[in-house]
């Protein structure tokens, strides 16, 4: 069953201007060291940051809160599998919120997809509850 759906559209040029203006202050407030390292290795760091920004916004919407109620930017972390597939990890308040949304006998799975086409970056997040299989 679907527990939540969120989407966000971010302007890459706006993120680029924010990075130029606030630099590490912005990076360190919103992104984990692993997210920053990945972005800085990419040919277009602002696009990578914008996609991850959009993913965090979309995830907060799928959690039904938006960025309020104690959720932190760093409670939502985007990493990538070796195949390149993005994966969303939740910690802190975001993980607690996810646990309260998940019905008994189910496990939550957070699906995320990212895309960009300059000047736009977009993310979709779907939170699914799957029945726990007893073996």
């Amino acid at each position: 069953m679907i527990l939540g759906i969120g989407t966000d559209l971010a302007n890459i040029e706006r993120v680029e201007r924010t990075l130029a203006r606030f630099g590490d202050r912005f990076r360190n407030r919103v992104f984990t060291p692993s997210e920053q390292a990945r972005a800085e290795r990419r040919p277009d760091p602002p696009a990578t940051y914008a996609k991850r920004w959009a993913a965090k916004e979309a995830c907060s919407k799928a959690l039904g809160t938006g960025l309020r109620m104690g959720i932190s930017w760093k409670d939502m972390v985007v990493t990538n599998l070796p195949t390149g597939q993005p994966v969303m990890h939740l910690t802190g308040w975001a993980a607690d919120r996810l646990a309260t949304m998940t019905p008994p006998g189910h496990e939550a799975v957070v699906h995320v997809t990212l895309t960009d086409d300059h000047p736009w970056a977009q993310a979709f997040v779907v939170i699914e509850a799957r029945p726990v299989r007893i073996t």
Side-chain angles (χ1 to χ4, degrees), residues 56-116:
K56 291 170 187 255
E57 286 274 7
C59 185
S60 72
K61 292 171 186 175
L63 289 168
T65 64
L67 285 162
R68 57 183 175 86
M69 296 177 56
I71 201 166
S72 166
W73 287 103
K74 291 184 183 180
D75 285 346
M76 301 165 289
V77 181
V78 180
T79 62
N80 294 82
L81 297 176
T83 60
Q85 177 184 344
V87 178
M88 179 70 71
H89 303 276
L90 303 181
T91 61
W93 192 92
D96 293 344
R97 170 70 178 152
L98 182 61
T100 64
M101 293 172 59
T102 306
H106 290 74
E107 63 181 350
V109 179
V110 181
H111 303 276
V112 61
T113 186
L114 309 172
T115 191
D116 66 284

Side-chain angles (χ1 to χ4, degrees), residues 1 3 99 101-108 128-134:
M1 86 181 70
L3 298 179
M101 293 172 59
T102 306
H106 290 74
E107 63 181 350
E128 173 189 13
R130 292 182 185 164
V132 175
R133 299 188 194 274
I134 300 173

Side-chain angles (χ1 to χ4, degrees), residues 20-64:
R21 183 173 178 193
F22 297 105
D24 285 342
R25 184 170 154 214
F26 171 68
R27 282 183 198 87
N28 294 332
R29 179 173 174 251
V30 177
F31 303 101
T32 65
S34 65
E35 289 174 311
Q36 292 179 45
R38 177 157 179 96
E40 296 302 327
R41 286 192 307 266
R42 305 291 296 165
D44 187 2
T48 301
Y49 282 119
K51 286 185 280 190
R52 277 152 175 73
W53 171 282
K56 291 170 187 255
E57 286 274 7
C59 185
S60 72
K61 292 171 186 175
L63 289 168

